[in-house]
Amino acid sequence: QVHLVESGGDLVQPGGSLRLSCAAPGRITNMYVMGWYRQAPGKQRELVAEITNDGSTNYADSVKGRFTISRDNAESMIYLQLNSLEFEDTAVYYCNGRVVTGGPFFYSWGQGTQVTVSS
């Protein structure tokens, strides 16, 4: 039951920006894919962005061009830069990792960090 610790969520106005951080308790080098996922009220958890150890990225269509995922293996950190935020981005954001693309999530889902976009 290893959890990642997400932080950085906040209440922000439409068009604003946030930078989310995800801290792992140990090395993440074995996680070929690290990613951010979100869950809005009444909806399923969905992929936001993923990044591989070689830098390849994958974004949900809804966030392409607005969000940027990055990882720092040396510091065991994963980041998500959220720009041009929209009402629809309101959700709890979680991070997790996969040893292989499309494989099972390695970490237990934590509490996530709340992003609320409101005017």
Side-chain angles (χ1 to χ4, degrees):
Q1 299 292 309
V2 180
H3 295 86
L4 301 173
V5 180
E6 301 95 342
S7 63
D10 205 351
L11 172 65
V12 64
Q13 293 183 321
S17 298
L18 286 173
R19 181 175 173 82
L20 307 184
S21 298
C22 173
R27 294 291 188 88
I28 60 172
T29 51
N30 290 144
M31 300 298 113
Y32 181 63
V33 181
M34 293 297 299
W36 284 93
Y37 312 84
R38 67 186 182 187
Q39 186 168 27
K43 295 186 177 182
Q44 299 279 75
R45 183 183 291 112
E46 65 176 357
L47 164 75
V48 176
E50 292 182 329
I51 183 168
T52 68
N53 256 331
D54 53 31
S56 179
T57 57
N58 179 42
Y59 295 93
D61 288 341
S62 60
V63 308
K64 286 181 180 177
R66 300 189 297 118
F67 293 4
T68 303
I69 187 172
S70 60
R71 63 190 289 175
D72 185 336
N73 287 348
E75 297 295 329
S76 298
M77 297 289 291
I78 308 92
Y79 303 98
L80 184 69
Q81 179 67 43
L82 302 81
N83 295 329
S84 302
L85 283 162
E86 304 169 350
F87 296 133
E88 293 76 14
D89 295 318
T90 295
V92 177
Y93 285 69
Y94 305 88
C95 60
N96 217 315
R98 307 170 187 255
V99 176
V100 298
T101 301
F105 292 108
F106 184 81
Y107 305 96
S108 297
W109 295 106
Q111 65 178 0
T113 187
Q114 177 73 51
V115 172
T116 301
V117 184
S118 177
S119 59

